[in-house]
Amino acid sequence: MDPKSTPLLTITPLKPSEIPPEETIIAEATKLVEDSLTWKSGKSFFNNSVKTIYRPKGPGDGAPWYARISEHTPQEATFDQFWDKLAHDKPINEKQFIHEIQKVTKVKELSPTSSIWTMYYTFTPPVAPRVFTAVQVIHLSETTPRTGYIVSLAIDLSSQEDEELQKLEEKGIKGRYVSVERIVELENGNTEWRMATSSTPGGSIPNFIVESTMAKKIAAVSFFFFSNNIRYQQHLPLIDIQDVPQFLKWFHSLPN
């Protein structure tokens, strides 16, 4: 991959040997969040508690970008509680409340703040299982306002040099995603949770996938699947709004 021609935050996968320094990843994530302040507004959900925004596919992008933003009181979850569950073993935690995730494996720990994970998803037939492998990098700033980043970049383990790591992946269609999550402690004591993502599920998705029941299930996975609307010749994004209430429900079910 030529870093001069391809943005870092894209669905184009990296080999483990191509993963850039963590400070570079976080710097790019910060720029993306700042850029998202100018994205177009989408629909709001759950009594306007979860807002969505989007950016069309641009030069170097493999897919469009979509994001959700929500604000949470300390009674829902404090900044420290969000950081604990989102930054530490995030894929393992997600498996507890996203039922489509069947298996999570830590492929390799690169540093205390960076690890490669592979996640195996199953869906209602005829959608085949998907495998998503990504490196997740976390960064916490204790300066006011306290801010935490969780960044995921798509990883390709198909090279001969990564043969042993590839054995840890399940069999299934390879999907790719890149995501940036930011939590920030607001002056009023609340926590803003912002997630932006761009992705491809790989393979082909049947047109009827846009039916509401399946849409909600796929939306909960925090990825974007697309179905080609033949009549209007446009792509319909299924946004990731369900993971907010699912996360909070799971969090409040945990022992104190």
Side-chain angles (χ1 to χ4, degrees), residues 199-228:
S199 70
T200 173
S204 60
I205 301 294
N207 285 340
F208 70 85
I209 206 79
V210 296
E211 294 180 2
S212 61
T213 53
M214 179 60 74
K216 290 179 181 178
K217 288 186 178 181
I218 293 182
V221 183
S222 299
F223 304 126
F224 297 104
F225 289 73
F226 295 87
S227 176
N228 186 42

mmCIF file of all heavy atoms in Angstrom, residues 199-228:
data_model
loop_
_atom_site.group_PDB
_atom_site.id
_atom_site.type_symbol
_atom_site.label_atom_id
_atom_site.label_comp_id
_atom_site.label_asym_id
_atom_site.label_seq_id
_atom_site.Cartn_x
_atom_site.Cartn_y
_atom_site.Cartn_z
ATOM 1 N N SER A 199 -17.419 0.678 5.835
ATOM 2 C CA SER A 199 -17.222 -0.768 5.774
ATOM 3 C C SER A 199 -17.795 -1.387 4.519
ATOM 4 O O SER A 199 -18.553 -0.768 3.768
ATOM 5 C CB SER A 199 -17.887 -1.433 6.984
ATOM 6 O OG SER A 199 -19.298 -1.356 6.859
ATOM 7 N N THR A 200 -17.412 -2.624 4.307
ATOM 8 C CA THR A 200 -17.996 -3.480 3.292
ATOM 9 C C THR A 200 -18.174 -4.857 3.902
ATOM 10 O O THR A 200 -17.271 -5.355 4.582
ATOM 11 C CB THR A 200 -17.129 -3.572 2.020
ATOM 12 O OG1 THR A 200 -17.692 -4.553 1.134
ATOM 13 C CG2 THR A 200 -15.697 -3.980 2.345
ATOM 14 N N PRO A 201 -19.320 -5.513 3.678
ATOM 15 C CA PRO A 201 -19.525 -6.832 4.260
ATOM 16 C C PRO A 201 -18.836 -7.943 3.480
ATOM 17 O O PRO A 201 -18.727 -9.061 3.954
ATOM 18 C CB PRO A 201 -21.048 -7.002 4.206
ATOM 19 C CG PRO A 201 -21.434 -6.215 2.996
ATOM 20 C CD PRO A 201 -20.518 -5.021 2.985
ATOM 21 N N GLY A 202 -18.358 -7.632 2.247
ATOM 22 C CA GLY A 202 -17.801 -8.677 1.410
ATOM 23 C C GLY A 202 -18.901 -9.541 0.822
ATOM 24 O O GLY A 202 -20.037 -9.542 1.298
ATOM 25 N N GLY A 203 -18.603 -10.284 -0.224
ATOM 26 C CA GLY A 203 -19.604 -11.145 -0.831
ATOM 27 C C GLY A 203 -20.738 -10.326 -1.417
ATOM 28 O O GLY A 203 -20.571 -9.185 -1.845
ATOM 29 N N SER A 204 -21.937 -10.918 -1.429
ATOM 30 C CA SER A 204 -23.111 -10.222 -1.958
ATOM 31 C C SER A 204 -24.236 -10.301 -0.944
ATOM 32 O O SER A 204 -24.385 -11.292 -0.235
ATOM 33 C CB SER A 204 -23.562 -10.843 -3.279
ATOM 34 O OG SER A 204 -23.892 -12.214 -3.097
ATOM 35 N N ILE A 205 -25.011 -9.250 -0.851
ATOM 36 C CA ILE A 205 -26.142 -9.178 0.069
ATOM 37 C C ILE A 205 -27.423 -9.082 -0.763
ATOM 38 O O ILE A 205 -27.559 -8.195 -1.595
ATOM 39 C CB ILE A 205 -26.042 -7.945 0.987
ATOM 40 C CG1 ILE A 205 -24.750 -7.993 1.805
ATOM 41 C CG2 ILE A 205 -27.246 -7.850 1.906
ATOM 42 C CD1 ILE A 205 -24.692 -9.117 2.800
ATOM 43 N N PRO A 206 -28.380 -9.986 -0.573
ATOM 44 C CA PRO A 206 -29.632 -9.955 -1.348
ATOM 45 C C PRO A 206 -30.410 -8.672 -1.122
ATOM 46 O O PRO A 206 -30.324 -8.048 -0.070
ATOM 47 C CB PRO A 206 -30.410 -11.168 -0.803
ATOM 48 C CG PRO A 206 -29.376 -12.037 -0.176
ATOM 49 C CD PRO A 206 -28.327 -11.108 0.358
ATOM 50 N N ASN A 207 -31.207 -8.293 -2.126
ATOM 51 C CA ASN A 207 -31.972 -7.048 -2.037
ATOM 52 C C ASN A 207 -32.924 -7.019 -0.855
ATOM 53 O O ASN A 207 -33.126 -5.971 -0.238
ATOM 54 C CB ASN A 207 -32.763 -6.819 -3.336
ATOM 55 C CG ASN A 207 -31.870 -6.371 -4.477
ATOM 56 O OD1 ASN A 207 -30.772 -5.888 -4.252
ATOM 57 N ND2 ASN A 207 -32.332 -6.547 -5.702
ATOM 58 N N PHE A 208 -33.531 -8.158 -0.531
ATOM 59 C CA PHE A 208 -34.549 -8.127 0.523
ATOM 60 C C PHE A 208 -33.960 -7.904 1.905
ATOM 61 O O PHE A 208 -34.680 -7.814 2.889
ATOM 62 C CB PHE A 208 -35.380 -9.417 0.518
ATOM 63 C CG PHE A 208 -34.625 -10.630 0.988
ATOM 64 C CD1 PHE A 208 -34.522 -10.927 2.341
ATOM 65 C CD2 PHE A 208 -34.031 -11.477 0.069
ATOM 66 C CE1 PHE A 208 -33.840 -12.045 2.777
ATOM 67 C CE2 PHE A 208 -33.333 -12.598 0.498
ATOM 68 C CZ PHE A 208 -33.241 -12.894 1.850
ATOM 69 N N ILE A 209 -32.627 -7.770 1.978
ATOM 70 C CA ILE A 209 -31.980 -7.557 3.263
ATOM 71 C C ILE A 209 -32.428 -6.262 3.910
ATOM 72 O O ILE A 209 -32.251 -6.058 5.114
ATOM 73 C CB ILE A 209 -30.447 -7.560 3.092
ATOM 74 C CG1 ILE A 209 -29.744 -7.977 4.370
ATOM 75 C CG2 ILE A 209 -29.930 -6.223 2.656
ATOM 76 C CD1 ILE A 209 -29.745 -9.435 4.593
ATOM 77 N N VAL A 210 -33.004 -5.356 3.105
ATOM 78 C CA VAL A 210 -33.429 -4.079 3.664
ATOM 79 C C VAL A 210 -34.706 -4.202 4.477
ATOM 80 O O VAL A 210 -35.157 -3.221 5.059
ATOM 81 C CB VAL A 210 -33.638 -3.023 2.561
ATOM 82 C CG1 VAL A 210 -32.329 -2.716 1.869
ATOM 83 C CG2 VAL A 210 -34.678 -3.492 1.559
ATOM 84 N N GLU A 211 -35.309 -5.367 4.530
ATOM 85 C CA GLU A 211 -36.492 -5.540 5.362
ATOM 86 C C GLU A 211 -36.137 -5.183 6.799
ATOM 87 O O GLU A 211 -35.053 -5.452 7.292
ATOM 88 C CB GLU A 211 -36.997 -6.982 5.276
ATOM 89 C CG GLU A 211 -37.513 -7.343 3.887
ATOM 90 C CD GLU A 211 -38.011 -8.767 3.821
ATOM 91 O OE1 GLU A 211 -37.996 -9.448 4.861
ATOM 92 O OE2 GLU A 211 -38.400 -9.198 2.726
ATOM 93 N N SER A 212 -37.072 -4.590 7.486
ATOM 94 C CA SER A 212 -36.789 -3.975 8.787
ATOM 95 C C SER A 212 -36.235 -4.952 9.815
ATOM 96 O O SER A 212 -35.337 -4.603 10.576
ATOM 97 C CB SER A 212 -38.053 -3.317 9.333
ATOM 98 O OG SER A 212 -39.075 -4.284 9.505
ATOM 99 N N THR A 213 -36.718 -6.162 9.858
ATOM 100 C CA THR A 213 -36.239 -7.078 10.889
ATOM 101 C C THR A 213 -34.769 -7.397 10.702
ATOM 102 O O THR A 213 -33.991 -7.368 11.654
ATOM 103 C CB THR A 213 -37.045 -8.382 10.872
ATOM 104 O OG1 THR A 213 -37.040 -8.933 9.549
ATOM 105 C CG2 THR A 213 -38.482 -8.127 11.283
ATOM 106 N N MET A 214 -34.360 -7.667 9.482
ATOM 107 C CA MET A 214 -32.956 -7.952 9.227
ATOM 108 C C MET A 214 -32.120 -6.698 9.359
ATOM 109 O O MET A 214 -30.991 -6.725 9.839
ATOM 110 C CB MET A 214 -32.779 -8.553 7.825
ATOM 111 C CG MET A 214 -31.331 -8.867 7.477
ATOM 112 S SD MET A 214 -30.577 -10.044 8.617
ATOM 113 C CE MET A 214 -31.384 -11.531 8.088
ATOM 114 N N ALA A 215 -32.677 -5.570 8.959
ATOM 115 C CA ALA A 215 -31.937 -4.305 9.047
ATOM 116 C C ALA A 215 -31.542 -4.016 10.479
ATOM 117 O O ALA A 215 -30.417 -3.599 10.759
ATOM 118 C CB ALA A 215 -32.787 -3.162 8.493
ATOM 119 N N LYS A 216 -32.469 -4.250 11.411
ATOM 120 C CA LYS A 216 -32.162 -3.980 12.815
ATOM 121 C C LYS A 216 -31.064 -4.904 13.319
ATOM 122 O O LYS A 216 -30.198 -4.500 14.086
ATOM 123 C CB LYS A 216 -33.423 -4.144 13.648
ATOM 124 C CG LYS A 216 -34.452 -3.051 13.411
ATOM 125 C CD LYS A 216 -35.700 -3.279 14.241
ATOM 126 C CE LYS A 216 -36.725 -2.195 13.986
ATOM 127 N NZ LYS A 216 -37.969 -2.433 14.762
ATOM 128 N N LYS A 217 -31.092 -6.171 12.887
ATOM 129 C CA LYS A 217 -30.068 -7.111 13.342
ATOM 130 C C LYS A 217 -28.703 -6.710 12.826
ATOM 131 O O LYS A 217 -27.716 -6.701 13.566
ATOM 132 C CB LYS A 217 -30.411 -8.528 12.877
ATOM 133 C CG LYS A 217 -31.578 -9.147 13.623
ATOM 134 C CD LYS A 217 -31.768 -10.595 13.202
ATOM 135 C CE LYS A 217 -32.909 -11.240 13.982
ATOM 136 N NZ LYS A 217 -33.110 -12.654 13.615
ATOM 137 N N ILE A 218 -28.629 -6.369 11.548
ATOM 138 C CA ILE A 218 -27.333 -6.009 10.981
ATOM 139 C C ILE A 218 -26.869 -4.669 11.535
ATOM 140 O O ILE A 218 -25.692 -4.460 11.785
ATOM 141 C CB ILE A 218 -27.408 -5.976 9.444
ATOM 142 C CG1 ILE A 218 -27.652 -7.407 8.931
ATOM 143 C CG2 ILE A 218 -26.135 -5.417 8.839
ATOM 144 C CD1 ILE A 218 -27.706 -7.525 7.444
ATOM 145 N N ALA A 219 -27.796 -3.749 11.770
ATOM 146 C CA ALA A 219 -27.428 -2.453 12.334
ATOM 147 C C ALA A 219 -26.763 -2.621 13.682
ATOM 148 O O ALA A 219 -25.878 -1.858 14.051
ATOM 149 C CB ALA A 219 -28.659 -1.564 12.464
ATOM 150 N N ALA A 220 -27.163 -3.641 14.435
ATOM 151 C CA ALA A 220 -26.625 -3.853 15.773
ATOM 152 C C ALA A 220 -25.168 -4.258 15.753
ATOM 153 O O ALA A 220 -24.488 -4.220 16.764
ATOM 154 C CB ALA A 220 -27.442 -4.916 16.499
ATOM 155 N N VAL A 221 -24.660 -4.649 14.611
ATOM 156 C CA VAL A 221 -23.290 -5.135 14.537
ATOM 157 C C VAL A 221 -22.288 -4.000 14.386
ATOM 158 O O VAL A 221 -21.094 -4.212 14.463
ATOM 159 C CB VAL A 221 -23.155 -6.127 13.354
ATOM 160 C CG1 VAL A 221 -21.773 -6.732 13.272
ATOM 161 C CG2 VAL A 221 -24.179 -7.242 13.500
ATOM 162 N N SER A 222 -22.792 -2.792 14.178
ATOM 163 C CA SER A 222 -21.946 -1.605 14.035
ATOM 164 C C SER A 222 -21.196 -1.557 12.716
ATOM 165 O O SER A 222 -20.190 -0.892 12.592
ATOM 166 C CB SER A 222 -20.937 -1.496 15.182
ATOM 167 O OG SER A 222 -21.590 -1.375 16.395
ATOM 168 N N PHE A 223 -21.671 -2.289 11.724
ATOM 169 C CA PHE A 223 -21.102 -2.200 10.388
ATOM 170 C C PHE A 223 -22.198 -1.753 9.436
ATOM 171 O O PHE A 223 -23.367 -1.782 9.770
ATOM 172 C CB PHE A 223 -20.546 -3.545 9.910
ATOM 173 C CG PHE A 223 -19.539 -4.130 10.830
ATOM 174 C CD1 PHE A 223 -19.683 -5.412 11.331
ATOM 175 C CD2 PHE A 223 -18.441 -3.395 11.225
ATOM 176 C CE1 PHE A 223 -18.761 -5.939 12.200
ATOM 177 C CE2 PHE A 223 -17.512 -3.917 12.094
ATOM 178 C CZ PHE A 223 -17.667 -5.191 12.577
ATOM 179 N N PHE A 224 -21.833 -1.421 8.212
ATOM 180 C CA PHE A 224 -22.800 -0.975 7.243
ATOM 181 C C PHE A 224 -22.872 -1.955 6.094
ATOM 182 O O PHE A 224 -21.889 -2.190 5.413
ATOM 183 C CB PHE A 224 -22.434 0.417 6.733
ATOM 184 C CG PHE A 224 -22.458 1.428 7.809
ATOM 185 C CD1 PHE A 224 -21.289 1.915 8.362
ATOM 186 C CD2 PHE A 224 -23.658 1.873 8.323
ATOM 187 C CE1 PHE A 224 -21.316 2.829 9.383
ATOM 188 C CE2 PHE A 224 -23.692 2.803 9.342
ATOM 189 C CZ PHE A 224 -22.528 3.278 9.871
ATOM 190 N N PHE A 225 -24.044 -2.536 5.895
ATOM 191 C CA PHE A 225 -24.290 -3.416 4.784
ATOM 192 C C PHE A 225 -25.116 -2.646 3.762
ATOM 193 O O PHE A 225 -25.934 -1.810 4.118
ATOM 194 C CB PHE A 225 -25.062 -4.659 5.238
ATOM 195 C CG PHE A 225 -24.223 -5.581 6.072
ATOM 196 C CD1 PHE A 225 -23.890 -5.254 7.378
ATOM 197 C CD2 PHE A 225 -23.754 -6.762 5.551
ATOM 198 C CE1 PHE A 225 -23.121 -6.092 8.153
ATOM 199 C CE2 PHE A 225 -22.985 -7.604 6.323
ATOM 200 C CZ PHE A 225 -22.671 -7.283 7.615
ATOM 201 N N PHE A 226 -24.928 -2.944 2.486
ATOM 202 C CA PHE A 226 -25.612 -2.193 1.464
ATOM 203 C C PHE A 226 -26.419 -3.114 0.558
ATOM 204 O O PHE A 226 -26.015 -4.236 0.265
ATOM 205 C CB PHE A 226 -24.612 -1.422 0.600
ATOM 206 C CG PHE A 226 -23.890 -0.368 1.366
ATOM 207 C CD1 PHE A 226 -22.729 -0.672 2.067
ATOM 208 C CD2 PHE A 226 -24.378 0.917 1.440
ATOM 209 C CE1 PHE A 226 -22.074 0.288 2.797
ATOM 210 C CE2 PHE A 226 -23.722 1.886 2.171
ATOM 211 C CZ PHE A 226 -22.572 1.582 2.847
ATOM 212 N N SER A 227 -27.576 -2.626 0.125
ATOM 213 C CA SER A 227 -28.411 -3.347 -0.813
ATOM 214 C C SER A 227 -28.714 -2.438 -1.989
ATOM 215 O O SER A 227 -29.085 -1.284 -1.812
ATOM 216 C CB SER A 227 -29.717 -3.781 -0.139
ATOM 217 O OG SER A 227 -30.571 -4.394 -1.069
ATOM 218 N N ASN A 228 -28.542 -2.932 -3.197
ATOM 219 C CA ASN A 228 -28.771 -2.111 -4.375
ATOM 220 C C ASN A 228 -30.265 -2.038 -4.679
ATOM 221 O O ASN A 228 -30.907 -3.039 -4.936
ATOM 222 C CB ASN A 228 -28.027 -2.694 -5.572
ATOM 223 C CG ASN A 228 -28.108 -1.797 -6.779
ATOM 224 O OD1 ASN A 228 -27.987 -0.583 -6.646
ATOM 225 N ND2 ASN A 228 -28.295 -2.368 -7.941
#
